[in-house]
Amino acid sequence: MRSSCRGEAASGGVSKRRALWGTLRRAVRDSMSVAHVDDEESVGGGGGEQPQHAERLLSNGDFYTGQWCDNLPHGTGKYLWTDGCMYEGEWRRGKTMGRGKFLWPSGATYDGEFKSGFMDGFGTYSASSGDTYRGHWVMNLKHGKGRKSYANGDYYEGEWRCGAQDGYGKYIWPNGNEYEGAWKNGVISGKGSMLWTNGNRYIGSWEDGLPKGEGRFQWTDGSFYIGTWSKDPKEQNGTYYPSGGASPVGNFDWDPQEVFWVGLRDCKVSQGEKVSILPSEKTTDWTGVEAEFMQKQAVWRARRKSSGSVEGLKKNANGQAEKSGDRINMWDSDGDDGNSFIGSEGEEGMGGLRLEDMDLKATRTPRFRLLLREGKKQGETISKGHKNYELMLNLQLGIRHSVARPAPATSLDLKASAFDPKEKVWTKFPPEGSKYTPPHQSCEFRWKDYCPLVFRTLRKLFKIDAADYMLSICGNDALRELSSPGKSGSFFYLTHDDRYMIKTMKKSEVKVLLRMLPAYYNHVRAFENTLVTKFFGLHCVKLTGAIQRKVRFVIMGNLFCTEYSIHRRYDLKGSSHGRTTDKPESEIDGNTTLKDLDLNYIFRLQRSWFQELHRQVDRDCDFLEQERIMDYSLLVGLHFREVATDGQASGLRTSTVNNESDQAADSTPRLSSVDMDPLLYDPTRWATIRLGINMPTRVEQTVRKSDCEPQLIGEPTGEFYDVVMFFGIIDILQDYDISKKLEHAYKSIQYDPTSISAVDPKQYSKRFRDFIYKVFAEDS
């Protein structure tokens, strides 16, 4: 009785699976026809196995149908998720890449370009609420030019950045009011103009969606009001100017505050609908699918051996399975490629068929390995007994005093006197303490703050919280001293959380920084995405007593403060003389700073980032050239997203190599990019991506054009790696002084003048830009 019930249950399970299988197949085939692709490179993966039509019913219930190549979706295909989401479009090596359409169960759709699973490129998103956005995207975020129509009738057309209005744009409300001007992070901010339907207009500065600062309000009769605007009536002041044709009463009794509580009452910016499930979150680890497929094959092979003497399956001319002995395998009606079928045991899988019977060649796109060694945490902890222990205590005491000192709130508009090099504050720190300083266990010292108001405002501009700043530098944790000083003889110290780097400075460098400080302040204020080093403080410790030593230092942001491991770092100047590391390949790790001649990659950025990089490098180099600065570098850090447990990174080539060694290398256990890189697939982290910070991109490996030529970029190989990239311009305090001019004259006699670092700032800027524009390329 029990056996009979089990047989009926198995029979029912088979029937349900067959019914589900048939329903999925009919639904997909009725709505989709596979396009023919003539381009062998785009579909065939570069001369390897040609794509064939395949269908896959995954163990989790998902279903794929479409072109298949090298055990991955490649070409045109359709994927159905069990939660109702669906993608139909182009695939490349298992990822949604190219034109496609994504549908949500709510009825929302995205029709446009995809890249590595992300909405990326130009596309249209239609929300279920009625909102529609048509424009450019980067990694699921609206980024670039685009226009959005809201369900409530609002309309915006202009620039977007990281999912919000940012830049120049125009917003129109259903009542006819419209704003045109600057935006920042989804809020009206900067210079702009508001036009009301009655013809009145405000032109001036905005902050957080409200008039703030200098502005002009104009009536239709020609009269106007000019003044300083603020929501706080105490800060509001200005003058009314009647026009020649104005009425005798005019607008003398008009209150500017009416703009805030009447004029802008109905001018709220709509937030729109947020995407609940992003296409990139629906990733599939095809490697895992294949492993499961091969595991099932081994299980059914074992079952077949244990079932006794049963004849193997035979195929007829159409590839259909025929009855053999007393056993039948029920192939699906279109089992032309033998990839998916229902076995007689009532399970989807291999049945009793051997791999050699299927003539299935499990060839894969070969992956090429790059050995990566993560560096240990940099620096030696400065503990008691270290030669610089007292200096560290002095530094921490001084910074705590400077940051915690009460100061009135200031605007970002600083007076020229704040930048005066003589604007400095000396504070004496006796061991027993004083009226303004706490007692301490170090020796007596004096502390100097250079331009304290400027650096306090810079920290505010860079959104540095004062409490966090003090905890990082002056908390209970000690600083770490890097193992060796830089080329200039300066020492570097890192905070325990890696957020800040402290560099000792020569007197000449301090003079350069103070000289260029006004221009530096204006530059970083004008360009939020500047790549130049961020400075947070400039100080000096003077030890009293017999030594009388002065130690000057600057506090900077650490470019590589990240949760990612940095596997490769490069210091790039664009020159070639002496620009190589002296370490053998086996000793290179994540802490080794490689140089121009060691670089064997091209960095491929998405179009919008590539264009923004060009603009920002031009701005930064123009600024440095005007300040007569040279010898700066682009510091680059790479985190390889797919790193094996043995420290190897896997890359994809466009060509196929069929040999056992490559296949053996490919069998190395490897975590998928989703497992290795959860930060990248966390939507809350995408807002932190900006130029030079947390940038997911690809690098293409290069090789020397010939053995006798230096690398200096080299010949592209078609071998790509997915990376997270960090970069910024560092060492910006070297001016073209007499020592550099002498160095240039001396080395020009011995070497090619174009190959040395010490050149005129104008020539240096041009060479640096040219090199950077060769190293970075647009990702096609």
Side-chain angles (χ1 to χ4, degrees):
M1 180 66 180
R2 187 176 301 172
S3 176
S4 175
C5 291
R6 185 163 48 241
E8 290 176 6
S11 176
V14 174
S15 299
K16 288 181 180 179
R17 284 181 177 271
R18 289 177 182 170
L20 174 61
W21 183 256
T23 301
L24 285 169
R25 291 168 59 84
R26 286 193 297 273
V28 171
R29 284 183 179 163
D30 289 344
S31 61
M32 175 187 174
S33 60
V34 179
H36 294 285
V37 182
D38 297 327
D39 186 1
E40 183 178 342
E41 171 66 20
S42 63
V43 177
E49 178 184 338
Q50 290 301 309
Q52 299 176 353
H53 182 79
E55 293 177 348
R56 292 288 185 274
L57 180 61
L58 280 66
S59 60
N60 61 1
D62 294 350
F63 177 70
Y64 171 81
T65 180
Q67 291 179 298
W68 191 267
C69 181
D70 290 338
N71 293 312
L72 292 171
H74 192 80
T76 308
K78 188 170 187 176
Y79 194 103
L80 302 172
W81 284 269
T82 54
D83 61 2
C85 293
M86 182 180 75
Y87 171 80
E88 180 178 0
E90 296 176 343
W91 296 76
R92 187 170 182 181
R93 294 196 286 271
K95 295 181 180 180
T96 54
M97 187 87 72
R99 294 287 305 181
K101 188 173 184 179
F102 194 95
L103 291 85
W104 284 263
S106 63
T109 62
Y110 170 80
D111 190 349
E113 295 176 301
F114 285 81
K115 187 172 289 185
S116 298
F118 292 89
M119 299 183 288
D120 198 299
F122 190 86
T124 302
Y125 174 77
S126 300
S128 59
S129 64
D131 294 353
T132 301
Y133 170 81
R134 178 177 173 82
H136 292 272
W137 299 75
V138 171
M139 292 191 67
N140 294 333
L141 298 174
K142 305 175 188 72
H143 193 97
K145 293 189 180 295
R147 55 181 184 266
K148 182 169 183 177
S149 301
Y150 296 85
N152 64 358
D154 291 1
Y155 177 81
Y156 172 82
E157 182 172 1
E159 296 176 326
W160 298 75
R161 177 178 174 78
C162 295
Q165 297 97 327
D166 200 301
Y168 190 86
K170 185 175 184 178
Y171 197 100
I172 303 175
W173 287 267
N175 59 11
N177 297 342
E178 61 180 62
Y179 168 82
E180 186 170 0
W183 294 73
K184 188 172 183 180
N185 196 27
V187 179
I188 296 173
S189 187
K191 300 289 185 181
S193 168
M194 174 71 78
L195 176 64
W196 283 268
T197 51
N198 61 9
N200 295 343
R201 182 190 296 269
Y202 169 82
I203 304 173
S205 298
W206 296 74
E207 187 176 296
D208 294 331
L210 298 172
K212 177 76 173 179
E214 297 298 318
R216 167 181 176 143
F217 189 91
Q218 185 171 328
W219 286 267
T220 54
D221 62 5
S223 57
F224 56 91
Y225 171 92
I226 295 180
T228 302
W229 292 75
S230 175
K231 192 176 182 180
D232 184 355
K234 296 179 182 178
E235 298 179 2
Q236 177 83 39
N237 65 80
T239 306
Y240 170 74
Y241 298 89
S243 67
S247 64
V249 178
N251 297 290
F252 287 101
D253 296 332
W254 175 77
D255 184 358
Q257 291 296 304
E258 290 184 18
V259 173
F260 296 96
W261 46 268
V262 177
L264 297 174
R265 181 173 54 197
D266 298 326
C267 297
K268 305 296 183 184
V269 177
S270 297
Q271 296 302 312
E273 178 182 310
K274 292 187 177 180
V275 183
S276 57
I277 303 173
L278 296 165
S280 57
E281 296 179 278
K282 309 293 291 183
T283 54
T284 301
D285 185 359
W286 295 105
T287 306
V289 172
E290 182 189 353
E292 179 184 5
F293 182 77
M294 299 305 290
Q295 185 179 7
K296 285 184 178 181
Q297 175 211 351
V299 171
W300 273 289
R301 181 183 295 176
R303 287 184 182 179
R304 187 177 190 278
K305 287 182 178 180
S306 63
S307 64
S309 57
V310 181
E311 295 183 13
L313 286 174
K314 300 178 182 179
K315 292 184 180 180
N316 60 21
N318 296 322
Q320 301 294 320
E322 296 179 342
K323 184 172 181 179
S324 177
D326 56 355
R327 183 184 176 111
I328 298 178
N329 270 7
M330 303 298 296
W331 290 74
D332 61 82
S333 58
D334 289 89
D336 54 339
D337 60 357
N339 286 321
S340 305
F341 60 91
I342 307 296
S344 63
E345 283 102 342
E347 297 286 346
E348 183 236 343
M350 296 299 296
L353 189 64
R354 285 195 177 98
L355 188 62
E356 54 270 25
D357 295 331
M358 291 175 59
D359 192 26
L360 177 65
K361 296 180 180 179
T363 57
R364 295 172 52 87
T365 303
R367 293 182 179 266
F368 295 80
R369 302 290 186 173
L370 169 70
L371 184 61
L372 299 173
R373 298 173 63 241
E374 289 188 16
K376 297 179 181 179
K377 196 164 186 177
Q378 285 184 288
E380 175 190 358
T381 301
I382 304 177
S383 55
K384 197 166 186 177
H386 191 282
K387 63 178 181 179
N388 288 325
Y389 178 71
E390 286 198 351
L391 178 62
M392 182 192 73
L393 292 181
N394 299 344
L395 185 152
Q396 291 177 323
L397 285 166
I399 290 176
R400 188 183 292 115
H401 172 76
S402 298
V403 177
R405 183 191 301 130
T410 58
S411 70
L412 298 179
D413 298 319
L414 298 178
K415 296 180 181 179
S417 58
F419 297 93
D420 189 338
K422 297 179 182 178
E423 185 68 19
K424 50 196 173 187
V425 178
W426 278 103
T427 306
K428 190 175 181 180
F429 280 78
E432 65 276 9
S434 68
K435 184 179 179 180
Y436 303 103
T437 63
H440 58 87
Q441 298 179 350
S442 181
C443 60
E444 182 175 324
F445 69 95
R446 295 184 68 196
W447 173 263
K448 183 195 288 187
D449 258 341
Y450 294 92
C451 299
L453 182 59
V454 176
F455 286 102
R456 182 183 293 268
T457 312
L458 278 172
R459 293 194 294 271
K460 178 182 176 181
L461 188 67
F462 294 138
K463 298 180 176 58
I464 301 297
D465 181 77
D468 290 342
Y469 184 71
M470 282 197 295
L471 282 175
S472 291
I473 303 175
C474 314
N476 295 328
D477 296 285
L479 302 177
R480 303 196 313 274
E481 183 180 73
L482 297 192
S483 56
S484 60
K487 184 179 177 181
S488 62
S490 299
F491 284 84
F492 293 86
Y493 303 91
L494 280 172
T495 57
H496 71 95
D497 56 5
D498 289 339
R499 292 183 64 185
Y500 304 104
M501 181 173 285
I502 301 168
K503 175 190 175 185
T504 61
M505 302 178 70
K506 296 181 292 187
K507 187 175 182 179
S508 59
E509 291 178 312
V510 173
K511 288 183 177 180
V512 170
L513 179 54
L514 292 175
R515 187 203 73 208
M516 66 184 284
L517 194 55
Y520 172 84
Y521 179 84
N522 292 331
H523 182 77
V524 298
R525 184 183 177 186
F527 304 112
E528 185 180 11
N529 284 331
T530 180
L531 298 174
V532 298
T533 304
K534 290 179 170 59
F535 295 121
F536 303 128
L538 181 62
H539 313 281
C540 176
V541 171
K542 183 179 180 181
L543 303 177
T544 58
I547 301 178
Q548 294 287 321
R549 182 165 66 113
K550 278 187 179 181
V551 181
R552 304 170 184 87
F553 56 90
V554 65
I555 302 176
M556 310 175 289
N558 179 18
L559 184 63
F560 297 151
C561 176
T562 173
E563 296 177 62
Y564 294 106
S565 300
I566 301 299
H567 298 122
R568 283 288 184 270
R569 61 182 71 200
Y570 295 90
D571 182 280
L572 306 176
K573 293 179 181 288
S575 57
S576 58
H577 175 66
R579 298 296 296 163
T580 183
T581 183
D582 54 0
K583 281 189 175 183
E585 182 70 24
S586 58
E587 295 181 13
I588 293 175
D589 60 18
N591 291 333
T592 305
T593 300
L594 304 172
K595 299 179 182 178
D596 301 67
L597 293 177
D598 304 312
L599 181 64
N600 58 339
Y601 296 107
I602 295 174
F603 310 128
R604 299 201 173 274
L605 301 183
Q606 296 161 342
R607 175 176 296 179
S608 59
W609 287 121
F610 179 71
Q611 293 171 345
E612 191 164 348
L613 172 74
H614 266 249
R615 288 192 295 267
Q616 195 56 56
V617 168
D618 282 339
R619 293 164 181 160
D620 291 340
C621 286
D622 286 342
F623 157 68
L624 294 171
E625 183 181 331
Q626 290 167 7
E627 294 302 312
R628 302 289 294 167
I629 301 297
M630 43 79 67
D631 213 22
Y632 44 88
S633 310
L634 186 77
L635 183 63
V636 177
L638 301 178
H639 165 81
F640 288 80
R641 285 168 51 192
E642 293 195 15
V643 178
T645 54
D646 59 356
Q648 295 181 350
S650 55
L652 287 174
R653 259 185 100 93
T654 55
S655 60
T656 302
V657 180
N658 294 318
N659 59 59
E660 295 179 0
S661 61
D662 284 325
Q663 292 181 8
D666 193 48
S667 64
T668 306
R670 179 170 45 84
L671 293 175
S672 70
S673 60
V674 180
D675 295 326
M676 286 295 297
D677 202 2
L679 300 181
L680 186 62
Y681 289 89
D682 181 359
T684 61
R685 302 287 184 128
W686 295 338
T688 65
I689 298 171
R690 60 185 187 84
L691 188 66
I693 302 294
N694 287 332
M695 290 184 63
T697 185
R698 296 196 305 164
V699 296
E700 182 178 5
Q701 194 158 19
T702 62
V703 295
R704 295 177 187 273
K705 295 180 180 179
S706 65
D707 293 336
C708 59
E709 292 184 15
Q711 180 81 45
L712 223 58
I713 305 176
E715 193 74 28
T717 62
E719 184 178 338
F720 293 88
Y721 297 90
D722 290 327
V723 300
V724 179
M725 193 172 187
F726 302 81
F727 56 85
I729 297 176
I730 62 169
D731 296 337
I732 62 170
L733 298 179
Q734 177 61 60
D735 63 349
Y736 196 51
D737 57 12
I738 186 63
S739 64
K740 287 295 179 181
K741 291 177 181 178
L742 290 173
E743 180 185 345
H744 172 76
Y746 175 74
K747 288 186 176 179
S748 295
I749 299 173
Q750 296 178 302
Y751 311 102
D752 179 1
T754 62
S755 70
I756 60 178
S757 295
V759 294
D760 176 85
K762 186 173 184 179
Q763 182 183 346
Y764 192 96
S765 173
K766 183 181 184 307
R767 184 180 65 187
F768 180 81
R769 294 187 220 201
D770 291 344
F771 182 69
I772 296 304
Y773 298 154
K774 289 179 183 178
V775 171
F776 287 85
E778 184 177 336
D779 193 5
S780 56

